């Protein structure tokens, strides 16, 4: 009986292990399926972003027509709004980081410049809007970043030193 009980126990453990493994595989497949569904439109979205950019350029080039009851201008505005809404329906959102701290994971710095009205290291100019789908960047925002000033670095270090002394 003892051998038989050990064999039964061993088979039971193997069966339970196989069941656990199957459950884990099922969960992994479900997760992968959801990710594929969420990001399936990524390639299409990347291609359509050029169209969105061109609509924006068209609007920018004829700003003087805004509010003048110009049907062509109003039609382009409406088309851009509809296209952006459609992208948002599929989880695609614009990255417009103006006055935010530069984030190399979402922004591409094309230039640096001095601006006394903005803190150093912040985005002062958006040259091209970025886009992300869910939590993934489709295209980083192309930006101009404000130069860090030496006096800002000293102030930042002083703030850190003061906050450190309060902790001790």
């Amino acid at each position: 009986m003892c051998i038989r009980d050990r064999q039964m126990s061993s088979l039971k453990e193997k069966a339970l292990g196989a069941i656990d493994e199957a459950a884990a595989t099922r969960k992994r497949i479900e997760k992968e399926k959801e990710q594929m569904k969420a990001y399936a439109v990524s390639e299409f979205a990347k291609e359509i972003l050029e169209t969105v950019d061109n609509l924006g350029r068209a609007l920018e080039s004829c700003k003087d027509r805004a509010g003048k009851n110009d049907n062509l201008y109003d039609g382009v505005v409406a088309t851009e709004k509809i296209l952006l809404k459609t992208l948002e329906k599929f989880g695609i959102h614009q990255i417009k980081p103006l006055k935010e701290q530069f984030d190399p994971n979402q922004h591409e710095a094309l230039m640096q410049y001095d601006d006394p009205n903005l803190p150093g290291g912040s985005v002062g100019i958006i040259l091209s809007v970025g886009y992300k789908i869910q939590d993934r960047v489709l295209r980083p925002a192309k930006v101009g970043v404000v130069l860090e000033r030496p006096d800002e670095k000293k102030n930042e270090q002083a703030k850190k030193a003061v906050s450190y002394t309060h902790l001790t």
Side-chain angles (χ1 to χ4, degrees), residues 133-150:
I133 182 167
Q134 310 299 345
D135 58 345
R136 288 186 192 170
V137 174
L138 282 173
R139 183 180 78 189
K142 294 180 176 150
V143 300
V145 180
V146 177
L147 286 168
E148 300 244 0
R149 293 177 282 288

Side-chain angles (χ1 to χ4, degrees), residues 57-91:
R57 286 185 202 103
L59 291 173
E60 191 65 32
S61 71
C62 58
K63 271 196 240 181
D64 57 325
R65 293 179 166 190
K68 292 185 179 174
N69 209 13
D70 183 326
N71 291 336
L72 179 61
Y73 180 83
D74 294 342
V76 175
V77 168
T79 302
E80 183 187 46
K81 283 181 183 177
I82 291 168
L83 186 54
L84 290 172
K85 252 185 203 174
T86 302
L87 290 174
E88 285 183 15
K89 259 191 232 180
F90 289 92

Side-chain angles (χ1 to χ4, degrees), residues 28 39 75-77 93 103 113 121 123 147 157:
R28 182 179 50 81
Y39 301 114
V76 175
V77 168
H93 304 282
D103 178 357
Y113 71 103
V123 174
L147 286 168
Q157 289 171 349

Side-chain angles (χ1 to χ4, degrees), residues 4-19:
R4 190 182 209 178
D5 287 343
R6 276 191 255 146
Q7 286 176 336
M8 289 290 280
S9 178
S10 175
L11 288 173
K12 185 177 179 181
E13 284 179 31
K14 286 180 183 178
L16 289 174
I19 290 170

